[in-house]
Structure formats: C-alpha cells, structure tokens
Amino acid sequence: MRASRLVSVLLLLQTRGRLTAEQLAAELTRLTGLNADEANALFLSGLPGPAAELGLGSVLAAAQLKVRAALPQGLAAQVGQVQARFHLDAPGWYIEAEDVPLLPAVANAVWRGRVLQVRYRRWKAPTDVDRRLEPYGLVLKAGRWYLVAGPHPRTYRVDQILALHELDEEFTIPPDFGLAAYWRGYTRDFLARLHRADAVVRLAPGAAGRLPGAAARAVAETGVCEPGGWTRATVPIESADQACRMFLALGPDLEVLAPESLRDRIAAAACATAAVYTAEGPAI
C-alpha cells in the first residue's frame, strides 16, 4: 500500500470510527494521495512551543516521526527541510513569556470534556472569584492562552486561573458552537469595545506606517490626500491617554485636528516636553 494511501486510511478511521471495507473503498475513491504541499503543511502545522505548553511536546514529536516514516524517501527529506527552514515564534517583541503552570490541566479537561471548578482573578472587584466552567476549547493569541468555557460561552485568560479542580462531571458542547467562529465574533466585539471615539488627523508622507495596525488601516481606508503629500484621515482611539501616547510618538509628522479637547491636550504635552529641553539646565 502506498504511504499516502495508508495515511488516508488512518485519518479516515480516526475521524469516522468503524468503516466497512466497502465504505472505506468508496471514501478512498474520493481522496487523493498526500502530495508535497500537503506534507509540508502537515509539518508546518506542528507548533513545538505551544504543544509543549499543553503537555503534548513528546506526543507531537512522536506523531511527526510516525507520519514521516510512512512518507516516501524523497518526500520525507523535503518535509525535513521545511522543519529546518521555518520556525514560528508566536509571542510579540518586548513581551515576557507568561507562566501558565495550570495550562496542561486545563487542556486535559478540554480533551476529556470534564467540568472545572476554578479560582479566577479578574480586573474588577471582587477580583478573585470562584467559577464552574465547562471548557469548550483553548485559543493561543499572540503568545497568550485563552480558555473559552460555557455554559454561556465566555473567555478567560489561562494565566489568571489561580487554582482549579477537575470535577467528576461531564458536559456536552452545544452542537451549534464552533470555536473558530466564536473567537472571530469575540475578537470583533473586543475591538469594537476598544473603539470609544474618533480623531481627525493630518499625517506627513510615510508617517502612517509608524502607527499601530488598527490606526494604520484606518488611514488607508479613510485617508484623503492634501497638498504637500500630507494625508487627512479619521483614526479610532480608545481613550485620550492612549491617543496622546500614540500620536505624540510621531512628533511633528502628525497633527490632531479634532476633537478640540484632544488637540489641546497634545499641544500642552508637546509644550511641556519642549520646555524641558529649552529651560536652562544645571551647571556642569
């Protein structure tokens, strides 16, 4: 049996359970062999860092070895090159790696479909609360792990779980729940909550590229060219403090036009900064 067909058979049995020979043959007529791109994608999908955090590092390594052993020699060499030349480092720069000692226990409850009783620390009072959670799934976002849990799906940072106990109680994920779809909706709602107001700004040529992602996208979508190569655009802001930090970082390459209160605050901050450098310094 060809290695690619063997992999197809194994995947079918894993996802469908028991199949008769006739059913298996019918399914295989609709399957193609594992080609080079598919094999590369399979090995690119194995993320050793997150897998190790979940307590699955050795499992992932063993699975990759088994699949690689079943591949033809030339294809096995090619996926080896993929692993040698591509590496994913999920966390952003200047972000310390978080300590998530309870992540394997949370992941185990996700796999087993068991209810968790947790002590959770949130940002508002009372800060430490007890919660009964039905763990639907885990999401890794920018190096940070989040638990999506029911019965009414909500999102919890795993590093904020202070203690947990797995109960001898099973649960059923609602048939209409999809983790990827939930996360897309959650992300969309989260960004909408951050967008508290808008600011109208003028930017010098090339300045938009120095803004953070959402602001830069807003400039691209709303920007109108002005004489001298400057661009007038409407940019979403979270708060006056956040807007000041973001806009002052561009110095004279950005001018706030509205709202007036933000313009005045930026001007006052700029004057105060200038005063530090124009005042007579201490004698040396």
Side-chain angles (χ1 to χ4, degrees), residues 116-135:
L116 287 174
Q117 186 70 35
V118 307
R119 185 73 170 168
Y120 186 75
R121 175 161 293 166
R122 57 184 188 173
W123 63 270
K124 61 181 179 181
T127 56
D128 294 356
V129 294
D130 294 318
R131 289 287 185 267
R132 175 191 176 277
L133 303 180
E134 298 175 359

Side-chain angles (χ1 to χ4, degrees), residues 2 86 89 94 105 119 122 163 169 173 177 191 245 253 259:
R2 289 177 52 194
F86 293 90
D89 185 8
Y94 313 115
R119 185 73 170 168
R122 57 184 188 173
E169 179 182 350
I173 298 178
F177 175 82
L191 294 176
R245 292 192 299 269
D253 289 339

Side-chain angles (χ1 to χ4, degrees), residues 53-75:
E53 291 177 353
L54 289 169
L56 297 174
S58 59
V59 176
L60 173 63
Q64 288 183 333
L65 283 173
K66 291 177 181 178
V67 173
R68 188 170 179 176
L71 294 174
Q73 184 175 358
L75 202 53

Side-chain angles (χ1 to χ4, degrees), residues 141-160:
K141 171 70 171 179
R144 177 172 289 165
W145 287 97
Y146 295 87
L147 171 66
V148 178
H152 305 292
R154 297 185 64 182
T155 303
Y156 301 85
R157 280 178 50 174
V158 177
D159 65 325
Q160 296 302 305

Side-chain angles (χ1 to χ4, degrees), residues 124-276:
K124 61 181 179 181
T127 56
D128 294 356
V129 294
D130 294 318
R131 289 287 185 267
R132 175 191 176 277
L133 303 180
E134 298 175 359
Y136 289 177
L138 284 162
V139 175
L140 178 62
K141 171 70 171 179
R144 177 172 289 165
W145 287 97
Y146 295 87
L147 171 66
V148 178
H152 305 292
R154 297 185 64 182
T155 303
Y156 301 85
R157 280 178 50 174
V158 177
D159 65 325
Q160 296 302 305
I161 297 177
L162 307 178
L164 65 79
H165 174 65
E166 183 180 302
L167 304 180
D168 188 17
E169 179 182 350
E170 297 181 350
F171 65 91
T172 301
I173 298 178
D176 59 346
F177 175 82
L179 183 60
Y182 168 86
W183 188 256
R184 286 193 297 271
Y186 172 80
T187 302
R188 183 175 58 250
D189 294 343
F190 176 77
L191 294 176
R193 290 194 300 271
L194 288 181
H195 180 187
R196 303 289 181 84
D198 291 317
V200 180
V201 300
R202 292 179 68 245
L203 299 110
R210 292 153 53 196
L211 288 170
R217 288 192 296 272
V219 173
E221 294 170 359
T222 68
V224 177
C225 293
E226 293 190 340
W230 284 62
T231 300
R232 178 191 292 255
T234 300
V235 176
I237 58 175
E238 300 172 22
S239 65
D241 289 340
Q242 175 266 345
C244 282
R245 292 192 299 269
M246 178 170 62
F247 294 150
L248 284 171
L250 272 68
D253 289 339
L254 182 145
E255 178 188 2
V256 174
L257 303 178
E260 192 68 27
S261 59
L262 180 59
R263 179 181 173 89
D264 292 343
R265 184 164 176 172
I266 294 283
C271 289
T273 300
V276 172

